[in-house]
Amino acid sequence: MGKRKAVIAPLTLEEINQYKLLPALNLEQIARMLQKSNAQIHEMSRKRALRPLPVFKSGRQIFSTWARIQQWIDEGFEQRKVA
């Protein structure tokens, strides 16, 4: 049988407010925000992705901000409206 997909719980309102105040989100926080696995976030952040996630890297670590991820999401919705 195939692998079962782990269910990632959505952020609570308290977590959302905390994440918005952080200067940078790490890989696990970005994954939790988008309800994706760490491996999916790595793949989505690659330059070859159709719409790469807006991240910055320090060594092998990935970081972003709440505002940049939210802008990326909003731009995706805008692109779908136009298409």
Side-chain angles (χ1 to χ4, degrees), residues 31-69:
R32 183 88 195 285
M33 179 182 177
L34 298 176
Q35 295 184 317
K36 303 286 184 189
S37 70
N38 291 356
Q40 288 173 308
I41 297 301
H42 272 288
E43 195 60 36
M44 292 168 69
S45 66
R46 292 177 152 224
K47 290 186 190 318
R48 69 179 180 206
L50 187 60
R51 286 185 55 245
L53 267 175
V55 298
F56 52 96
K57 297 180 181 182
S58 177
R60 299 181 93 175
Q61 296 181 337
I62 292 177
F63 300 96
S64 192
T65 63
W66 180 275
R68 289 182 71 193
I69 297 292

Side-chain angles (χ1 to χ4, degrees), residues 7-22:
V7 177
I8 301 169
L11 294 174
T12 64
L13 290 176
E14 184 177 312
E15 288 172 316
I16 291 170
N17 290 329
Q18 289 174 348
Y19 280 24
K20 286 180 179 180
L21 297 175
L22 293 173

